[in-house]
Amino acid sequence: MTDRVIAITGGHGVLGRAVAEAALACGLKVAIIDHAPGQSVPEGVLQLAGVDLTDPASAQTAIDTVAAHFGGLDALLNIAGGFVWQTTDDADPAWAKMFALNVTTALNASRAALPHLKAAAEGRIVNVGANAALKSAAGMGAYAASKAGVHRLTESLAEELKDTPVTVNAVLPSILDTARNRQDMPDADPAKWVAPADLARVMLFLASPESRAITGALIPVTGRV
């Protein structure tokens, strides 16, 4: 893994930070791409803040900047996204917003990264789907539908790239153990949830050369739920 370059979209979120920390511990070269303003990052991390990944040109500029800075790109981890709980009769439907945040960001970043990943010896794309998208529930329609789109993007892109060194997979987490989720679900047992650090390890395996035999996989990471 040493000297491999990874780009993490949504790198300032809870999961993004966990992945970045784990990647640095493995000796990887890390770039963080996020729509949020710049934050304090460890030395050596390339930070690209204020990037609108729903815009193809902005995504292309960000990815090309990463590749130029490090001299290439080996893996793209698409973590950028969003969540909303709302019923179908909500006065302000979030379906388009969820599609933009979860599918369009992954699509634009992946399209921008493909030339660089194809030039790498072992190119990788790792997306974040959702276990909730396998069977939705009340209030989860917009979110689950958008994450199902991520699943289909993962599968189709993996098939398209089977004659290249690039693999494409997705992790399907259940509930992440975050401060916000603990606040929103005070009666739940967070010990049954997925620790961001544990999900990060799965994602980094999929971003590594050792995962070369896996592509098009949707891998549940569901803790003890």
Side-chain angles (χ1 to χ4, degrees):
M1 292 282 281
T2 302
D3 292 332
R4 282 175 65 82
V5 177
I6 70 168
I8 304 169
T9 72
H12 287 321
V14 174
L15 178 57
R17 289 195 300 270
V19 173
E21 291 171 1
L24 289 170
C26 292
L28 278 71
K29 297 175 180 176
V30 177
I32 288 174
I33 302 171
D34 205 296
H35 188 262
Q39 300 180 15
S40 176
V41 298
E43 183 178 355
V45 172
L46 174 63
Q47 176 180 212
L48 301 176
V51 178
D52 180 7
L53 291 173
T54 66
D55 175 59
S58 297
Q60 189 70 63
T61 297
I63 293 295
D64 288 348
T65 299
V66 174
H69 179 83
F70 289 114
L73 178 64
D74 297 289
L76 170 66
L77 281 65
N78 284 312
I79 300 177
F83 172 81
V84 67
W85 188 97
Q86 66 171 204
T87 55
T88 307
D89 62 355
D90 190 280
D92 184 22
W95 289 68
K97 177 181 178 181
M98 285 293 94
F99 189 92
L101 291 177
N102 292 321
V103 183
T104 304
T105 57
L107 173 63
N108 287 342
S110 297
R111 283 171 53 86
L114 281 179
H116 304 293
L117 297 175
K118 289 178 180 179
E122 299 274 1
R124 301 285 182 265
I125 296 176
V126 184
N127 295 323
V128 178
N131 190 62
L134 298 179
K135 187 179 189 304
S136 192
M140 298 287 284
Y143 173 75
S146 67
K147 285 298 189 178
V150 174
H151 299 178
R152 303 292 83 82
L153 171 63
T154 300
E155 293 168 333
S156 61
L157 189 53
E159 287 296 321
E160 293 168 14
L161 295 173
K162 277 192 171 178
D163 292 331
T164 77
V166 183
T167 65
V168 188
N169 295 289
V171 292
L172 278 56
S174 54
I175 302 172
L176 290 182
D177 185 4
T178 66
R180 177 62 184 271
N181 283 337
R182 288 187 180 220
Q183 177 183 328
D184 290 346
M185 293 174 277
D187 296 328
D189 180 5
K192 296 181 178 181
W193 297 347
V194 177
D198 290 336
L199 182 56
R201 294 185 189 98
V202 178
M203 295 184 71
L204 288 179
F205 167 71
L206 293 173
S208 74
E210 286 72 21
S211 68
R212 65 179 59 89
I214 306 171
T215 194
L218 307 176
I219 301 176
V221 185
T222 56
R224 299 174 182 272
V225 173

